[in-house]
Amino acid sequence: MDMPCIETRLGIRDPLTDTPVELLPKVAIIGRPNVGKSALFNRICGSNTAIIYDYPGVTRDRLYMRADWGTTEFVVVDTGGLMNTSQRLPASLSAKDVRGLGDTNLPEAIEAQAAAGVEEADAVVLTVDGQMGMVPADADIAAWLRRTYPDKPLMLVVNKCESSRSGEMQAADFWTLGLEPMPVSAISGSGTGDMMDALVKLLPPPRQPLAASGEGSKAREPIAVAILGRPNVGKSSLLNSLVGQERAIVSSVAGTTRDATDTDFTSPSGGKFRLLDTAGIRRKGAVASSPDGAEALSVQRAIRAVRRCEVVALVLDGVRCIEDRGHRFIVPTQDFHLAELVAAEGRGAVIVVNKWDAVAKDTHTMAEYQKELLAQLRPLSWAPVVFTSATSGQRVTNILQAVETAAEQYRRRISTATLNMVIREAVAWRPPPALKGNKRRGRIYYGTQAGAQPPTFVMFVNDVKLFEDDYKRYLEKQLRENAGFQGSPIRIVFRGKPKGKANYDASD
């Protein structure tokens, strides 16, 4: 039978239970490049999270997503393609060898990430190409799995069997692997229902938590943080440094990261975070003219990650901002455009200046560069700045502290009384100006906070046309100086006096 259509919200299915993701069993999808692993991943999860493109090597880092079938919940792990023979798949292969890679070592890094995904999985789905038929690499991968992980349940899925009539014939070639082949089509969904029925029988029940929290209230949701920036500024290195393991491939080759990968972890202080590592975003013209057709999809995933998060860690290359600039901090144009994107989406922000260990500096350099940076990065002039080095770990923990503060301010509400005290003081120092040729002067009756995430304030005034953007910026500055909101955007909306209603002043 075919897999039914599953409703999704923001590309992620609502969970059946409140079981934490780390306690659910994991299923790793593994196989050669371009056999349809990402398409199968998307089919199982009911989303289009993984990038699908018709050439090998698109998937590189491990992708995780919660999925369910019937009453069984589990986590699916999408992996990169295993490109070569069993000699390239020793039992010692792990993610610890992927730091500092060049172009020639990138295939080994992809395979290391795939091997790490198999290592932590409770069941493995070996995916092969039914249209291409049996090839030696399929046998090599199956032999490696049996030799290295003899106790892991293994399922053989023959993908690209669109025809139910010829699918059985296409799958028959793979009986020589010693596993029962299951013909499916990840694109059309044919055969995937029977596959899922068999798969859930292989999975163990969810793990039990180590200890009960003892709190009656539901655990707080993790802070979603998107790591954003241009290519090769050190986003993946920063992710690895934050979580303390080689979660993402680090390479000197720009554009190594393709998908937006989610990583949940708990900091030493107990804070819960969900880090969204994203592909580097180049300017639109460069992406449009790129021969890499998957780059545009990677950029779309990165922008979608910004919309899914609460706080954006905008990563800048400190060396490039200063190099050959006469010892001035010059923000590249693309970084400015990314700052505009974050501000337009209304997300909290932390500016991370990476590679700070490679910058020549003295005791005053950091303060001077921070002042220049915020002056140039005007859309995020309210964001805290952290100078760090992902490779050495210098001040990496400061990023988490800044993110927690930004998330707290992003969710924050203040009382109407406090807001109107700030308004009264602001108006006393600088009354709303009268427009040229207009004898009327703007008047603010009162204000209230209409929402959070981001904090949104409504000012009830006599006439909206009497308040220009300059005065709105002044009110925002006064709110920040007197009420906080560091790291969070503020939205101020003016509403005119309803006809026939009495006036209410903020001083009443």
Side-chain angles (χ1 to χ4, degrees):
M1 67 178 178
D2 296 344
M3 179 174 289
C5 179
I6 302 171
E7 292 183 357
T8 58
R9 179 174 57 85
L10 295 177
I12 302 175
R13 194 180 322 172
D14 289 328
L16 295 175
T17 68
D18 57 358
T19 305
V21 171
E22 60 269 18
L23 300 180
L24 295 175
K26 293 185 177 66
V27 177
I29 302 176
I30 196 169
R32 293 184 296 106
N34 219 32
V35 296
K37 299 183 297 299
S38 294
L40 187 62
F41 174 87
N42 288 344
R43 171 64 60 174
I44 294 174
C45 298
S47 72
N48 61 344
T49 300
I51 293 177
I52 302 174
Y53 207 78
D54 192 20
Y55 62 72
V58 172
T59 302
R60 294 174 176 177
D61 297 304
R62 306 192 303 276
L63 280 180
Y64 295 79
M65 180 159 282
R66 190 175 190 139
D68 61 75
W69 183 255
T71 59
T72 303
E73 283 192 301
F74 51 94
V75 174
V76 190
V77 185
D78 187 22
T79 66
L82 300 173
M83 298 185 181
N84 292 299
T85 63
S86 57
Q87 284 74 24
R88 290 281 297 279
L89 295 168
S92 61
L93 191 60
S94 67
K96 67 182 180 181
D97 304 316
V98 305
R99 186 183 293 276
L101 294 163
D103 189 22
T104 57
N105 293 326
L106 189 57
E108 289 91 333
I110 296 173
E111 295 182 354
Q113 288 288 319
V118 175
E119 175 71 32
E120 63 181 353
D122 298 287
V124 179
V125 175
L126 174 57
T127 309
V128 295
D129 187 338
Q131 294 182 0
M132 182 175 289
M134 179 75 172
V135 298
D138 294 328
D140 290 332
I141 296 171
W144 170 70
L145 289 170
R146 284 199 183 95
R147 182 178 66 251
T148 311
Y149 306 102
D151 299 327
K152 287 188 187 291
L154 179 61
M155 172 182 287
L156 177 62
V157 172
V158 184
N159 192 25
K160 304 184 183 180
C161 296
E162 275 70 30
S163 172
S164 57
R165 179 174 299 179
S166 60
E168 294 292 341
M169 298 179 60
Q170 291 174 320
D173 292 343
F174 295 92
W175 278 100
T176 57
L177 295 178
L179 299 166
E180 179 182 358
M182 303 198 69
V184 305
S185 171
I187 298 299
S188 68
S190 62
T192 52
D194 293 334
M195 177 198 73
M196 294 302 299
D197 288 339
L199 177 60
V200 296
K201 294 178 182 178
L202 303 178
L203 300 179
R207 301 172 182 85
Q208 295 299 317
L210 295 177
S213 63
E215 299 179 358
S217 60
K218 187 178 179 180
R220 185 176 180 179
E221 288 294 319
I223 301 172
V225 186
I227 304 176
L228 189 72
R230 292 180 293 105
N232 221 24
V233 296
K235 299 182 296 298
S236 296
S237 296
L238 186 63
L239 171 67
N240 292 340
S241 183
L242 287 170
V243 302
Q245 59 175 290
E246 303 300 327
R247 176 62 182 83
I249 295 175
V250 177
S251 172
S252 59
V253 181
T256 299
T257 302
R258 300 281 197 173
D259 295 285
T261 58
D262 294 14
T263 303
D264 289 358
F265 89 107
T266 302
S267 68
S269 63
K272 294 182 178 294
F273 299 87
R274 176 169 296 133
L275 301 180
L276 286 63
D277 186 24
T278 65
I281 301 180
R282 299 194 295 163
R283 55 187 177 84
K284 291 183 179 180
V287 175
S289 61
S290 173
D292 182 1
E295 184 176 1
L297 298 176
S298 297
V299 171
Q300 292 175 12
R301 297 298 196 275
I303 295 175
R304 188 180 302 172
V306 172
R307 293 168 180 164
R308 286 196 289 129
C309 76
E310 292 180 282
V311 181
V312 173
L314 179 60
V315 184
L316 279 62
D317 185 339
V319 175
R320 182 172 178 182
C321 290
I322 300 170
E323 197 174 50
D324 300 328
R325 308 290 175 108
H327 299 289
R328 288 194 59 212
F329 197 102
I330 306 297
V331 176
T333 303
Q334 181 61 8
D335 287 328
F336 182 85
H337 291 327
L338 293 179
E340 288 184 316
L341 169 65
V342 176
E345 293 294 337
R347 297 300 184 261
V350 174
I351 302 172
V352 179
V353 182
N354 194 24
K355 307 181 184 180
W356 190 244
D357 56 336
V359 175
K361 49 192 173 293
D362 55 33
T363 55
H364 304 290
T365 303
M366 186 181 297
E368 293 173 356
Y369 284 168
Q370 178 171 337
K371 183 178 180 180
E372 291 185 13
L373 168 62
L374 293 178
Q376 297 174 49
L377 219 56
R378 295 183 300 278
L380 299 182
S381 59
W382 39 263
V385 181
V386 179
F387 294 84
T388 186
S389 170
T391 55
S392 68
Q394 180 186 28
R395 286 190 286 276
V396 167
T397 55
N398 291 3
I399 300 173
L400 298 180
Q401 296 171 4
V403 165
E404 285 186 301
T405 300
E408 180 182 350
Q409 298 300 309
Y410 187 70
R411 302 166 177 171
R412 184 177 168 218
R413 287 179 175 271
I414 62 174
S415 67
T416 301
T418 300
L419 174 61
N420 285 291
M421 287 177 60
V422 175
I423 293 173
R424 284 197 300 269
E425 184 174 346
V427 171
W429 280 100
R430 180 181 168 184
L435 300 183
K436 291 182 178 180
N438 194 333
K439 296 181 180 180
R440 297 179 64 200
R441 182 179 295 274
R443 185 179 182 189
I444 301 177
Y445 298 129
Y446 70 99
T448 185
Q449 183 170 357
Q453 297 181 320
T456 303
F457 302 93
V458 178
M459 305 294 175
F460 292 90
V461 301
N462 57 344
D463 190 346
V464 174
K465 297 178 181 178
L466 299 175
F467 293 85
E468 296 184 324
D469 290 341
D470 181 62
Y471 200 77
K472 182 187 294 186
R473 288 190 290 269
Y474 166 72
L475 288 178
E476 179 179 340
K477 182 180 178 181
Q478 293 299 308
L479 272 171
R480 293 190 183 280
E481 291 180 354
N482 294 281
F485 297 105
Q486 183 187 28
S488 172
I490 291 177
R491 288 178 174 170
I492 298 177
V493 180
F494 291 101
R495 284 190 181 173
K497 180 184 65 175
K499 292 183 178 180
K501 298 290 185 179
N503 296 348
Y504 293 92
D505 195 276
S507 62
D508 291 343

